[in-house]
PDB file of all heavy atoms in Angstrom:
ATOM      1  N   LEU I 214       7.041   8.855  -9.926  1.00  0.00           N
ATOM      2  CA  LEU I 214       6.596   7.549  -9.442  1.00  0.00           C
ATOM      3  C   LEU I 214       6.563   6.562 -10.598  1.00  0.00           C
ATOM      4  O   LEU I 214       6.340   6.928 -11.750  1.00  0.00           O
ATOM      5  CB  LEU I 214       5.215   7.655  -8.798  1.00  0.00           C
ATOM      6  CG  LEU I 214       5.073   8.655  -7.651  1.00  0.00           C
ATOM      7  CD1 LEU I 214       3.689   8.529  -7.014  1.00  0.00           C
ATOM      8  CD2 LEU I 214       6.156   8.473  -6.610  1.00  0.00           C
ATOM      9  N   ASP I 215       6.782   5.321 -10.264  1.00  0.00           N
ATOM     10  CA  ASP I 215       6.780   4.254 -11.270  1.00  0.00           C
ATOM     11  C   ASP I 215       6.131   3.031 -10.638  1.00  0.00           C
ATOM     12  O   ASP I 215       6.607   2.520  -9.625  1.00  0.00           O
ATOM     13  CB  ASP I 215       8.215   3.942 -11.709  1.00  0.00           C
ATOM     14  CG  ASP I 215       8.263   2.815 -12.728  1.00  0.00           C
ATOM     15  OD1 ASP I 215       7.316   2.696 -13.515  1.00  0.00           O
ATOM     16  OD2 ASP I 215       9.246   2.052 -12.725  1.00  0.00           O
ATOM     17  N   VAL I 216       5.038   2.581 -11.226  1.00  0.00           N
ATOM     18  CA  VAL I 216       4.288   1.472 -10.650  1.00  0.00           C
ATOM     19  C   VAL I 216       5.025   0.159 -10.879  1.00  0.00           C
ATOM     20  O   VAL I 216       5.281  -0.227 -12.017  1.00  0.00           O
ATOM     21  CB  VAL I 216       2.872   1.384 -11.249  1.00  0.00           C
ATOM     22  CG1 VAL I 216       2.135   0.173 -10.688  1.00  0.00           C
ATOM     23  CG2 VAL I 216       2.103   2.648 -10.946  1.00  0.00           C
ATOM     24  N   HIS I 217       5.405  -0.495  -9.814  1.00  0.00           N
ATOM     25  CA  HIS I 217       5.925  -1.860  -9.914  1.00  0.00           C
ATOM     26  C   HIS I 217       5.387  -2.652  -8.717  1.00  0.00           C
ATOM     27  O   HIS I 217       6.121  -3.111  -7.850  1.00  0.00           O
ATOM     28  CB  HIS I 217       7.463  -1.902  -9.985  1.00  0.00           C
ATOM     29  CG  HIS I 217       8.172  -1.058  -8.966  1.00  0.00           C
ATOM     30  ND1 HIS I 217       8.735  -1.583  -7.830  1.00  0.00           N
ATOM     31  CD2 HIS I 217       8.406   0.264  -8.922  1.00  0.00           C
ATOM     32  CE1 HIS I 217       9.292  -0.617  -7.126  1.00  0.00           C
ATOM     33  NE2 HIS I 217       9.112   0.508  -7.762  1.00  0.00           N
ATOM     34  N   LEU I 218       4.046  -2.778  -8.698  1.00  0.00           N
ATOM     35  CA  LEU I 218       3.371  -3.472  -7.604  1.00  0.00           C
ATOM     36  C   LEU I 218       3.637  -4.974  -7.682  1.00  0.00           C
ATOM     37  O   LEU I 218       3.716  -5.561  -8.757  1.00  0.00           O
ATOM     38  CB  LEU I 218       1.864  -3.205  -7.661  1.00  0.00           C
ATOM     39  CG  LEU I 218       1.436  -1.736  -7.600  1.00  0.00           C
ATOM     40  CD1 LEU I 218      -0.074  -1.647  -7.697  1.00  0.00           C
ATOM     41  CD2 LEU I 218       1.935  -1.075  -6.326  1.00  0.00           C
ATOM     42  N   LYS I 219       3.738  -5.583  -6.536  1.00  0.00           N
ATOM     43  CA  LYS I 219       3.971  -7.021  -6.468  1.00  0.00           C
ATOM     44  C   LYS I 219       2.772  -7.779  -7.031  1.00  0.00           C
ATOM     45  O   LYS I 219       1.628  -7.470  -6.717  1.00  0.00           O
ATOM     46  CB  LYS I 219       4.225  -7.421  -5.011  1.00  0.00           C
ATOM     47  CG  LYS I 219       4.760  -8.829  -4.837  1.00  0.00           C
ATOM     48  CD  LYS I 219       5.119  -9.088  -3.377  1.00  0.00           C
ATOM     49  CE  LYS I 219       5.707 -10.467  -3.197  1.00  0.00           C
ATOM     50  NZ  LYS I 219       6.069 -10.743  -1.785  1.00  0.00           N
ATOM     51  N   ASP I 220       3.050  -8.771  -7.865  1.00  0.00           N
ATOM     52  CA  ASP I 220       1.967  -9.525  -8.514  1.00  0.00           C
ATOM     53  C   ASP I 220       2.292 -11.022  -8.443  1.00  0.00           C
ATOM     54  O   ASP I 220       2.831 -11.594  -9.388  1.00  0.00           O
ATOM     55  CB  ASP I 220       1.804  -9.064  -9.965  1.00  0.00           C
ATOM     56  CG  ASP I 220       0.675  -9.789 -10.677  1.00  0.00           C
ATOM     57  OD1 ASP I 220      -0.133 -10.449  -9.987  1.00  0.00           O
ATOM     58  OD2 ASP I 220       0.610  -9.714 -11.913  1.00  0.00           O
ATOM     59  N   ASP I 221       1.963 -11.628  -7.301  1.00  0.00           N
ATOM     60  CA  ASP I 221       2.201 -13.060  -7.093  1.00  0.00           C
ATOM     61  C   ASP I 221       0.910 -13.868  -7.121  1.00  0.00           C
ATOM     62  O   ASP I 221       0.894 -15.030  -6.709  1.00  0.00           O
ATOM     63  CB  ASP I 221       2.895 -13.295  -5.741  1.00  0.00           C
ATOM     64  CG  ASP I 221       4.313 -12.763  -5.729  1.00  0.00           C
ATOM     65  OD1 ASP I 221       4.899 -12.652  -6.816  1.00  0.00           O
ATOM     66  OD2 ASP I 221       4.821 -12.451  -4.641  1.00  0.00           O
ATOM     67  N   HIS I 222      -0.185 -13.256  -7.588  1.00  0.00           N
ATOM     68  CA  HIS I 222      -1.488 -13.901  -7.455  1.00  0.00           C
ATOM     69  C   HIS I 222      -1.601 -15.186  -8.277  1.00  0.00           C
ATOM     70  O   HIS I 222      -2.238 -16.151  -7.837  1.00  0.00           O
ATOM     71  CB  HIS I 222      -2.593 -12.920  -7.836  1.00  0.00           C
ATOM     72  CG  HIS I 222      -2.597 -11.690  -6.982  1.00  0.00           C
ATOM     73  ND1 HIS I 222      -2.815 -11.731  -5.622  1.00  0.00           N
ATOM     74  CD2 HIS I 222      -2.383 -10.386  -7.285  1.00  0.00           C
ATOM     75  CE1 HIS I 222      -2.759 -10.507  -5.132  1.00  0.00           C
ATOM     76  NE2 HIS I 222      -2.492  -9.681  -6.114  1.00  0.00           N
ATOM     77  N   LEU I 223      -0.994 -15.230  -9.461  1.00  0.00           N
ATOM     78  CA  LEU I 223      -1.063 -16.448 -10.260  1.00  0.00           C
ATOM     79  C   LEU I 223      -0.335 -17.590  -9.551  1.00  0.00           C
ATOM     80  O   LEU I 223      -0.825 -18.732  -9.531  1.00  0.00           O
ATOM     81  CB  LEU I 223      -0.462 -16.212 -11.648  1.00  0.00           C
ATOM     82  CG  LEU I 223      -0.490 -17.418 -12.598  1.00  0.00           C
ATOM     83  CD1 LEU I 223      -1.913 -17.881 -12.831  1.00  0.00           C
ATOM     84  CD2 LEU I 223       0.190 -17.063 -13.922  1.00  0.00           C
ATOM     85  N   GLN I 224       0.798 -17.277  -8.979  1.00  0.00           N
ATOM     86  CA  GLN I 224       1.548 -18.292  -8.232  1.00  0.00           C
ATOM     87  C   GLN I 224       0.726 -18.831  -7.062  1.00  0.00           C
ATOM     88  O   GLN I 224       0.673 -20.038  -6.824  1.00  0.00           O
ATOM     89  CB  GLN I 224       2.844 -17.684  -7.708  1.00  0.00           C
ATOM     90  CG  GLN I 224       3.659 -18.596  -6.816  1.00  0.00           C
ATOM     91  CD  GLN I 224       4.885 -17.887  -6.256  1.00  0.00           C
ATOM     92  OE1 GLN I 224       5.397 -16.950  -6.853  1.00  0.00           O
ATOM     93  NE2 GLN I 224       5.339 -18.332  -5.099  1.00  0.00           N
ATOM     94  N   TYR I 225       0.062 -17.929  -6.340  1.00  0.00           N
ATOM     95  CA  TYR I 225      -0.770 -18.364  -5.218  1.00  0.00           C
ATOM     96  C   TYR I 225      -1.958 -19.198  -5.709  1.00  0.00           C
ATOM     97  O   TYR I 225      -2.342 -20.188  -5.071  1.00  0.00           O
ATOM     98  CB  TYR I 225      -1.280 -17.157  -4.429  1.00  0.00           C
ATOM     99  CG  TYR I 225      -0.206 -16.386  -3.711  1.00  0.00           C
ATOM    100  CD1 TYR I 225      -0.299 -15.012  -3.541  1.00  0.00           C
ATOM    101  CD2 TYR I 225       0.919 -17.033  -3.195  1.00  0.00           C
ATOM    102  CE1 TYR I 225       0.686 -14.299  -2.876  1.00  0.00           C
ATOM    103  CE2 TYR I 225       1.905 -16.333  -2.529  1.00  0.00           C
ATOM    104  CZ  TYR I 225       1.783 -14.962  -2.376  1.00  0.00           C
ATOM    105  OH  TYR I 225       2.756 -14.263  -1.717  1.00  0.00           O
ATOM    106  N   ALA I 226      -2.560 -18.787  -6.842  1.00  0.00           N
ATOM    107  CA  ALA I 226      -3.699 -19.529  -7.378  1.00  0.00           C
ATOM    108  C   ALA I 226      -3.279 -20.954  -7.746  1.00  0.00           C
ATOM    109  O   ALA I 226      -3.991 -21.925  -7.434  1.00  0.00           O
ATOM    110  CB  ALA I 226      -4.268 -18.809  -8.594  1.00  0.00           C
TER     111      ALA I 226
END
Side-chain angles (χ1 to χ4, degrees):
L214 304 186
D215 179 32
V216 177
H217 47 102
L218 302 179
K219 192 174 182 180
D220 181 13
D221 292 336
H222 300 298
L223 181 59
Q224 175 184 334
Y225 293 147

